[in-house]
Amino acid sequence: MSIPLMKIIEIDSDAALAAAVAELERRGLDAPGAADKEAAVRGIVDAVRDGGDAAVAEFTQKFDGVALSPAQFEVSKEEIAAARAKVDPALYATLEKARDNIRRFHEKNLRQSWEEVDADGTILGQRFTPLPSAGVYVPGGKAFYPSSVLMNIVPAVVAGVPEIVMVSPPSYEGGIHPLVLAAAEIAGATRVFRVGGAQAIAALAYGTDTIPAVATITGPGNIFVTLAKRFVSGVCAIDKEAGPSEVIVIADESTSPTMAAVELLAQGEHEEEAQAVLIATSRAKVDAIFAACEKEMETLSRAAIIRTAFSTCGIAFVVRSLEDAAALTNAYAPEHLALQVQDPRALFDQIDHAGCCILGEGTSVACGDYFVGPNHILPTARSARFASPLTADDFRKVTSVISCSPERMAKDADDIIRFAEAEAFTAHARAVEVRR
């Protein structure tokens, strides 16, 4: 009998389900060894805060093996134009189509400022305004991600952010991959810097003589980038602390083993820590999907990475029903959820926590990762219980508007004074009393 690709857990009783749910609910954000890295990252962040460009250059040399003077940090317009010329025209056109899809999607959920005037003349409302600047982190170590460029920058453009600064490590011939630079131009970045890692996050937060400080930092990265974002989150906003990428694929007896397999494989190829989870209604279906995975891996360039991810982080659950599957999913709160079942809409109604849900086996997670419009920057590590995908509204802030009429002040004064006095804030009470 062959060794399964990932650990298999059979849910054959209510007690087994409860135990599995409890285990999944203990999942945390921090990767193994994160605590050991905190001191190192704190040292980098503090060094950049105090040393500015010199510290950024030192850490770029140390961690990326690239010697750059501060004058070389920024990528010039001429370099970006040269990079664009290296990109296949058909691929460039694909990036433009993806940008347009992402823009249309995010324009639809952009909230608008509003005010309402009561009959007595009282005005209440909210004003939405763009943040003055945004910093976008684009990874560049193990692979290059023009999709992350679009997913970070286009919502900021939709929000109206006037200054969008992109940073990415100099991991391609001492600079940034031409495709990433082309995507930055297409998306609307205003400035681009060839610096990465925790030092880039610190530079964006505190500012240096060369790299401007920004109001928010978005974008995924490794554990060093994630910890740096945590440390600077009191200085500027951050989108979220991203953990390893995740997918749950739910399969019933109607599911094509190949369709389920390719989604698990696509998740596994991200990195060795990627978390691919299969939930199926029979052991036979699990075995069939594993067999399809083996067949598909014969042609995949990152098969070794997938095998490691499956064996170290993957789980296959065999459940009694789709109700069990929903319970496990809500406990896991996955980044991506693929409902490859006969009636995905009915199952979706039972799902409370997921960053992005794919309905039916006819659609791939990759549609959202690259092209159709929703953001692929999603909550991970159970944060889908309280967090949402990145949107244009993450690049805006809200100002409340209040103007009480004399009639409204007279009507509400006793209640407000009573409230203030209950908290022993007599100056608050007096501020209302003098206006009565």
Side-chain angles (χ1 to χ4, degrees):
M1 183 176 179
S2 62
I3 299 174
L5 286 170
M6 58 182 72
K7 180 170 77 171
I8 299 174
I9 298 175
E10 299 207 22
I11 306 298
D12 55 6
S13 66
D14 289 347
L17 176 63
V21 166
E23 181 63 29
L24 294 178
E25 288 176 343
R26 284 193 287 269
R27 289 199 315 132
L29 173 68
D30 290 338
D36 298 334
K37 298 178 176 67
E38 287 187 357
V41 174
R42 172 63 77 184
I44 294 170
V45 169
D46 289 347
V48 173
R49 180 196 61 199
D50 298 335
D53 285 334
V56 173
E58 177 186 346
F59 291 125
T60 300
Q61 170 77 65
K62 179 178 180 179
F63 297 122
D64 297 314
V66 178
L68 296 174
S69 69
Q72 296 173 306
F73 289 167
E74 186 163 8
V75 180
S76 69
K77 301 295 184 185
E78 293 75 19
E79 289 176 287
I80 294 175
R84 180 180 66 240
K86 296 178 182 179
V87 177
D88 175 72
L91 180 54
Y92 193 90
T94 292
L95 292 176
E96 290 182 311
K97 292 176 185 176
R99 174 204 59 198
D100 294 344
N101 290 341
I102 296 164
R103 182 172 58 204
R104 279 191 294 271
F105 182 89
H106 287 274
E107 285 174 344
K108 291 181 185 298
N109 62 29
L110 195 66
R111 294 181 293 172
Q112 301 301 318
S113 299
W114 63 273
E115 286 187 4
E116 62 182 23
V117 183
D118 291 345
D120 64 13
T122 294
I123 299 171
L124 297 174
Q126 290 180 315
R127 184 180 66 179
F128 292 86
T129 53
L131 297 178
S133 56
V136 171
Y137 189 90
V138 178
K142 297 179 180 179
F144 304 103
Y145 302 100
S147 59
S148 287
V149 177
L150 300 180
M151 295 293 180
N152 276 283
I153 294 176
V154 174
V157 171
V158 170
V161 177
E163 182 174 43
I164 303 171
V165 181
M166 189 185 93
V167 296
S168 191
S171 52
Y172 179 81
E173 299 178 356
I176 300 174
H177 196 282
L179 190 56
V180 172
L181 290 177
E185 180 187 57
I186 289 169
T190 55
R191 301 179 73 179
V192 179
F193 293 87
R194 55 181 132 245
V195 294
Q199 63 269 24
I201 299 300
L204 289 173
Y206 295 106
T208 70
D209 290 340
T210 303
I211 301 171
V214 297
T216 188
I217 301 174
T218 69
N222 61 21
I223 186 62
F224 296 97
V225 169
T226 297
L227 289 172
K229 287 169 70 176
R230 179 185 298 175
F231 291 146
V232 304
S233 61
V235 179
C236 62
I238 64 170
D239 55 344
K240 51 183 63 69
E241 297 182 22
S245 194
E246 308 162 349
V247 73
I248 286 181
V249 176
I250 301 181
D252 63 11
E253 296 315 301
S254 71
T255 306
S256 159
T258 297
M259 293 296 188
V262 293
E263 291 306 316
L264 294 167
L265 294 166
Q267 197 64 34
E269 75 173 346
H270 275 95
E271 57 187 332
E272 289 84 352
E273 294 79 27
Q275 300 186 15
V277 176
L278 171 63
I279 304 177
T281 52
S282 73
R283 176 59 188 265
K285 182 62 70 172
V286 169
D287 292 340
I289 292 170
F290 282 177
C293 285
E294 291 285 5
K295 181 178 179 180
E296 292 289 330
M297 273 195 287
E298 294 174 2
T299 63
L300 299 180
S301 60
R302 295 169 71 86
I305 292 173
I306 295 169
R307 284 192 184 279
T308 300
F310 280 10
S311 63
T312 58
C313 303
I315 308 173
F317 290 99
V318 180
V319 294
R320 301 166 297 176
S321 66
L322 292 180
E323 287 73 22
D324 284 358
L328 292 171
T329 299
N330 286 327
Y332 197 96
E335 177 187 21
H336 304 96
L337 173 62
L339 302 181
Q340 297 192 3
V341 296
Q342 188 169 17
D343 190 350
R345 277 284 179 185
L347 182 54
F348 182 50
D349 289 342
Q350 301 178 53
I351 302 301
D352 298 320
H353 310 305
C356 178
C357 191
I358 308 298
L359 303 179
E361 65 180 21
T363 303
S364 171
V365 171
C367 296
D369 282 347
Y370 292 116
F371 197 73
V372 298
N375 212 303
H376 79 196
I377 299 175
L378 300 163
T380 59
R382 297 196 72 231
S383 61
R385 293 172 299 127
F386 53 82
S388 305
L390 187 70
T391 70
D393 272 332
D394 290 309
F395 295 95
R396 298 199 301 168
K397 57 186 177 65
V398 182
T399 301
S400 296
V401 180
I402 306 172
S403 177
C404 290
S405 66
E407 292 81 4
R408 182 67 179 265
M409 285 299 299
K411 174 186 173 184
D412 292 347
D414 285 343
D415 288 315
I416 298 171
I417 291 170
R418 190 177 297 114
F419 222 138
E421 290 176 344
E423 295 186 350
F425 274 22
T426 54
H428 282 64
R430 178 61 180 160
V432 173
E433 176 63 33
V434 298
R435 289 176 168 84
R436 181 156 22 195

